[in-house]
Amino acid sequence: MLAHGTAGMDQLRTSLLDAPIVEKDGYHYFVHPISDGVPMLEPGLLREIVIKILRKAELDDVDKIVTPAAMGIHISTAVSLMTDIPLVVVRKRKYGLEGEVSLSQVTGYSESEMYVNDVYEGDRVLVLDDVLSTGGTLTALTGALEDIGAEICDTVCVIKKDGGENKFADAGYEAKTLINVDVVDGEVVITAEDGDG
């Protein structure tokens, strides 16, 4: 089944070029099933994304996949199912479990409080997320994982939004991406067909 679905993998590109554009506070942005959960996510698109992640990500000896809630969950779940690597979801809710770490405790990041459970010193992790835009969440998350003592084997985001500040790169981190885009004159423009890395 997978071999059949790998020919001509351009659903991600096509879906982004066809994405509706909405305006909010004078800023134009695209609405996409991967970054927003609407319009509906077709299984073929998710399958293509997972195959591309499996080809691009460093998966050797990874103990856990770590993703921030909420839009990274469906992608990371699919990757977990294909790799048998357990999934850790970083939540905006405090549960008070033993070993729980707040991102703001270790990074000063307080835009929206997030909590990491079940990641420990020595864990080898793959960080997955839907979109790299400003990089704020990923910067806080990777900083917290490093403070915990986890080894970040790789960071992969499906879509990178170009054209703005990238705190992740400014903090000295790199993320692999599957495709890079920008919104120019109310239209999605592909800036890198194969993303970064």
Side-chain angles (χ1 to χ4, degrees):
M1 181 74 179
L2 283 179
H4 179 267
T6 59
M9 296 198 337
D10 64 356
Q11 292 180 62
L12 179 57
R13 179 183 186 280
T14 302
S15 66
L16 282 160
L17 291 174
D18 292 343
I21 303 290
V22 296
E23 184 181 339
K24 186 175 182 181
D25 301 325
Y27 176 72
H28 290 90
Y29 65 98
F30 61 88
V31 180
H32 191 267
I34 291 301
S35 55
D36 301 288
V38 294
M40 73 176 164
L41 176 57
E42 294 289 348
L45 175 58
L46 182 58
R47 188 179 304 112
E48 176 184 305
I49 288 166
V50 170
I51 291 167
K52 287 182 176 188
I53 290 170
L54 295 177
R55 289 179 176 170
K56 192 165 250 198
E58 179 57 53
L59 297 170
D60 292 343
D61 302 317
V62 169
D63 300 312
K64 296 171 183 173
I65 296 167
V66 177
T67 192
M71 293 313 299
I73 295 174
H74 52 297
I75 301 156
S76 299
T77 299
V79 172
S80 176
L81 285 169
M82 294 301 296
T83 60
D84 280 332
I85 300 170
L87 172 60
V88 172
V89 177
V90 179
R91 297 293 313 272
K92 293 178 181 172
R93 176 181 296 165
K94 182 175 184 170
Y95 292 91
L97 300 174
E98 188 176 332
E100 183 172 73
V101 174
S102 159
L103 266 57
S104 70
Q105 283 174 347
V106 292
T107 63
Y109 182 74
S110 60
E111 187 175 308
S112 63
E113 196 70 50
M114 296 189 84
Y115 300 88
V116 181
N117 282 284
D118 295 315
V119 177
Y120 305 101
E121 185 175 346
D123 282 348
R124 293 174 50 85
V125 301
L126 166 65
V127 177
L128 282 183
D129 205 2
D130 60 324
V131 174
L132 175 57
S133 185
T134 64
T137 300
L138 276 182
T139 302
L141 176 54
T142 50
L145 291 170
E146 286 181 351
D147 285 356
I148 289 167
E151 181 182 340
I152 301 166
C153 298
D154 211 348
T155 302
V156 180
C157 298
V158 177
I159 303 164
K160 178 181 176 186
K161 291 182 184 175
D162 283 329
E165 177 185 19
N166 184 343
K167 295 175 186 171
F168 199 60
D170 294 344
Y173 294 111
E174 288 183 27
K176 293 176 181 173
T177 59
L178 303 187
I179 193 166
N180 298 2
V181 301
D182 198 357
V183 177
V184 180
D185 298 328
E187 291 185 13
V188 174
V189 175
I190 309 294
T191 56
E193 291 275 345
D194 297 317
D196 297 334

